[in-house]
Amino acid sequence: MVNLNDESLAKGQSGTTVNILFFINILLTENKVEQGRIKGIGGATAGIIDSEEKIINYTNNLGLKSFSIGSMFQENFQLPVKLSNDANATAI
């Protein structure tokens, strides 16, 4: 969530979690997607990614370190999660 000056309203890693979950729920609601139809969640970002543990170890452009994005998705959506470095995901 950002204000009109493109400044984050939720700061830090917990703020990032709030922002991600907020926008996913908006997308699901606005597009009338039933959660039962979703088979999994996939994501890719620049930086050092631990794909097996589903952790963003470091990403400069998002300012995240040791961010357990996979467990956040699994806890909130109870779906399988795949996470990859953006360059590796592009190659696939």
Side-chain angles (χ1 to χ4, degrees):
M1 288 182 279
V2 294
N3 63 18
L4 294 175
N5 296 321
D6 204 30
E7 300 165 332
S8 177
L9 299 177
K11 305 284 185 185
Q13 295 196 98
S14 62
T16 300
T17 301
V18 169
N19 288 338
I20 291 169
L21 295 174
F22 176 78
F23 285 111
I24 287 174
N25 284 312
I26 284 177
L27 287 170
L28 294 174
T29 302
E30 287 183 356
N31 292 289
K32 298 179 176 103
V33 177
E34 296 172 18
Q35 189 168 341
R37 296 185 62 206
I38 301 170
K39 301 299 180 200
I41 298 173
T45 188
I48 302 168
I49 309 301
D50 183 334
S51 295
E52 288 187 27
E53 296 295 323
K54 300 164 187 77
I55 295 172
I56 299 172
N57 288 320
Y58 176 76
T59 180
N60 187 45
N61 60 345
L62 298 175
L64 299 174
K65 294 179 183 175
S66 302
F67 184 57
S68 299
I69 193 166
S71 63
M72 178 206 51
F73 283 140
Q74 288 171 331
E75 289 171 15
N76 285 277
F77 297 101
Q78 293 79 45
L79 294 167
V81 176
K82 298 285 185 186
L83 182 64
S84 185
N85 173 275
D86 62 342
N88 294 337
T90 301
I92 296 172

